[in-house]
Amino acid sequence: MADVIFFDLDGTLVDHRSAVMETIAAIVRAAPDATAPPDELVALWWSLEARHMREYLAGQCSFAEHHRRRLRSFLPMLGEPVPDDPALLDAWIEERYLSAFEESWQTYPDVQPCLEALKGLPRGPRLAVLTNGDPGQQRAKLARFGLLGYFDAVLTPTELGAAKPAAYAAACAWMRTEPARAVNVGDMLEGDVNAAVLAGLTGIWLDRGIDFVTGGPSPAADETVLRIERLTDLADRLTHLPAPSPPGP
């Protein structure tokens, strides 16, 4: 059995994409002066989120500033003026986006049964969340659904000093384990699975049948990729993994 299992959060434990789409669709529908059809504006917001999140993860801006950058590009498309004062942008995000977004959070139905099954394993692994998200927001998601107690750690770029994929080595060091004794589970084939394997971990792809980025069908995977369709299949998959190497001296 592995020593540590790392779980991605958004798209793996919590349905982040649906929450974003639902929230922005409601904002767009309520905008009388929007300059494009609702579907186009929702897609624009999603692409802006990805672009400016990459800037945040690269250390080019704060988490709050990544929201402001997104909004500066989006407000003209809503037909709204762009305030010069960052505090007004922050207020828009808080009052019109984040409050509704947080209400839209949902965990996937297979999450808690999976965690219960893992906790019930004899000599079971320690569990941790490894996410590129903001630490406060990510912990709030887990707390909302009573999941924090399942995990020994919630690790983000704030704690580790790096985002995935560079964070895998740091996460293993934080958990006092070796990559060969760690498993990473996530919905992103490249970032959660292939990158974890390159770092020396065992990567398990949670293929929920949708590409998190595009919303289209899942990407094609090499036949060597370890794949599950439901988190409730994870405990059985773990029992069939090769035995990890013993710890080094």
Side-chain angles (χ1 to χ4, degrees), residues 150-222:
Y150 288 100
F151 298 104
D152 290 69
V154 179
L155 302 177
T156 75
T158 299
E159 289 81 16
L160 300 176
K164 293 184 288 185
Y168 287 116
C172 289
W174 185 286
M175 296 298 293
R176 299 183 182 276
T177 194
E178 298 181 352
R181 299 179 59 80
V183 172
N184 192 70
V185 181
D187 66 295
M188 299 285 282
L189 179 59
E190 288 302 321
D192 292 326
V193 181
N194 293 341
V197 171
L198 286 174
L201 292 75
T202 296
I204 296 181
W205 181 31
L206 174 61
D207 178 8
R208 292 197 179 277
I210 183 174
D211 185 295
F212 181 81
V213 175
T214 68
S218 299
D222 186 274

Side-chain angles (χ1 to χ4, degrees), residues 20 22 27 30 64 69 71 81-82 86 91 105 115 125 132 134 143 168 173 182 184 210 212 214 219-220 235-236 240:
V20 171
E22 178 180 329
I27 290 172
R69 291 181 179 187
L71 198 53
V82 180
W105 290 343
L115 299 176
N132 282 345
D134 172 73
Y168 287 116
N184 192 70
I210 183 174
F212 181 81
T214 68
D236 181 65
H240 293 90

Side-chain angles (χ1 to χ4, degrees), residues 89-170:
L89 295 171
D90 294 344
W92 193 103
I93 287 289
E94 181 64 35
E95 295 166 10
R96 294 180 60 183
Y97 178 70
L98 285 181
S99 57
F101 172 59
E102 292 170 4
E103 286 301 313
S104 298
W105 290 343
Q106 293 291 333
T107 57
Y108 296 99
D110 53 5
V111 172
Q112 192 153 7
C114 165
L115 299 176
E116 286 288 338
L118 293 176
K119 286 296 187 182
L121 291 174
R123 301 182 302 280
R126 293 175 292 149
L127 308 181
V129 170
L130 179 56
T131 168
N132 282 345
D134 172 73
Q137 188 176 82
Q138 301 300 65
R139 287 183 173 87
K141 291 175 185 176
L142 295 167
R144 164 82 65 83
F145 301 106
L147 301 178
L148 269 174
Y150 288 100
F151 298 104
D152 290 69
V154 179
L155 302 177
T156 75
T158 299
E159 289 81 16
L160 300 176
K164 293 184 288 185
Y168 287 116

